[in-house]
Amino acid sequence: SAVISQKPSRDICQRGTSLTIQCQVDSQVTMMFWYRQQPGQSLTLIATANQGSEATYESGFVIDKFPISRPNLTFSTLTVSNMSPEDSSIYLCSVTKPRWVQGPTDTQYFGPGTRLTVL
Amino acid sequence: KQEVTQIPAALSVPEGENLVLNCSFTDSAIYNLQWFRQDPGKGLTSLLLIQSSQREQTSGRLNASLDKSSGRSTLYIAASQPGDSATYLCAVRRISGAGSYQLTFGKGTKLSVIP
């Protein structure tokens, strides 16, 4: 398995401000992802965080709104910029581990999430 | 575009009962299917993963089946306990054209096991 921590666990922010969420994993991982879970909705992939290069964003998500960094194999940040109430969601970090560690299953592990409320 | 549907949206059962949660997906070209559990205010815990070449996986009281051709999976929970109360999410992975692995989630089934 993988032990994933996220900071902060929750926050209440004002409209127009930005929040940076941190994701730390206990061991080397291959892929890191950021998901959003809006109230009553399923999880939606925001982007894949690539080490040392720009993140790969899914349709409907852009770098200016959700800048992502991944400076090393075990750490990533997601920033929610210029927030509006529509950004109120749970944001989850997710990882897969190298196949030489967990075999060819590509099991995906999730962090505890960051609950964001924008007023 | 892959769509994942979970039925029912909510389920309430008495303790000790066996139950089945359903998941269907529209595109059968999947790499694998994963069942998760989400407790209120918490992240996701992986329960079972079924590769596209497999028919079922078992872990303790849980058994997950996969019928890729019909686009269906079921999660069977035997002898349910109050501690099983949570939201259960189904997710499928397909290899995108770019080569990245993308999970598509259903909205989940909220299970309540009554003591």
Side-chain angles (χ1 to χ4, degrees):
Chain A
S1 64
V3 178
I4 306 171
S5 61
Q6 284 186 232
K7 292 181 181 178
S9 59
R10 58 176 61 225
D11 208 341
I12 300 173
C13 300
Q14 296 296 320
R15 182 196 297 262
T17 62
S18 297
L19 176 71
T20 295
I21 302 167
Q22 299 179 1
C23 175
Q24 178 72 56
V25 191
D26 66 331
S27 58
Q28 181 180 341
V29 297
T30 47
M31 303 187 79
M32 296 184 78
F33 308 92
W34 286 98
Y35 284 82
R36 180 175 74 179
Q37 186 178 29
Q38 294 178 301
Q41 300 299 313
S42 59
L43 276 76
T44 302
L45 179 64
I46 298 172
T48 302
N50 300 309
Q51 185 198 359
S53 64
E54 192 171 289
T56 305
Y57 290 85
E58 299 300 313
S59 175
F61 297 96
V62 296
I63 188 171
D64 289 345
K65 176 67 176 178
F66 297 101
I68 288 171
S69 77
R70 188 181 173 188
N72 58 53
L73 289 173
T74 62
F75 183 79
S76 177
T77 66
L78 167 74
T79 299
V80 186
S81 302
N82 188 24
M83 289 183 284
S84 67
E86 292 71 35
D87 294 319
S88 297
S89 295
I90 298 174
Y91 292 86
L92 297 113
C93 173
S94 177
V95 305
T96 58
K97 306 208 82 174
R99 291 192 166 189
W100 53 266
V101 172
Q102 68 171 28
T105 63
D106 292 321
T107 298
Q108 200 155 326
Y109 303 96
F110 283 80
T114 296
R115 183 179 292 271
L116 172 61
T117 302
V118 184
L119 303 177
Chain B
K1 179 186 174 185
Q2 178 75 271
E3 293 183 2
V4 179
T5 303
Q6 291 188 245
I7 295 174
L11 179 64
S12 184
V13 300
E15 181 177 2
E17 193 164 295
N18 302 326
L19 59 101
V20 175
L21 307 180
N22 297 292
C23 171
S24 62
F25 46 94
T26 54
D27 186 347
S28 61
I30 65 170
Y31 184 73
N32 60 36
L33 182 146
Q34 200 166 350
W35 282 93
F36 294 90
R37 168 186 173 139
Q38 186 175 30
D39 294 280
K42 303 286 182 63
L44 277 65
T45 301
S46 178
L47 298 174
L48 289 165
L49 181 146
I50 310 178
Q51 299 284 39
S52 61
S53 58
Q54 298 175 322
R55 298 282 295 184
E56 65 178 319
Q57 281 287 326
T58 299
S59 176
R61 295 183 293 109
L62 305 180
N63 176 277
S65 69
L66 174 63
D67 184 343
K68 198 173 66 166
S69 61
S70 67
R72 295 180 185 278
S73 176
T74 61
L75 179 67
Y76 174 83
I77 302 177
S80 58
Q81 303 171 357
D84 295 329
S85 298
T87 296
Y88 290 80
L89 297 167
C90 167
V92 297
R93 169 176 283 128
R94 63 184 297 268
I95 301 174
S96 74
S100 64
Y101 294 83
Q102 183 173 6
L103 278 180
T104 302
F105 281 84
K107 290 186 178 182
T109 295
K110 185 175 182 180
L111 173 66
S112 299
V113 181
I114 312 302

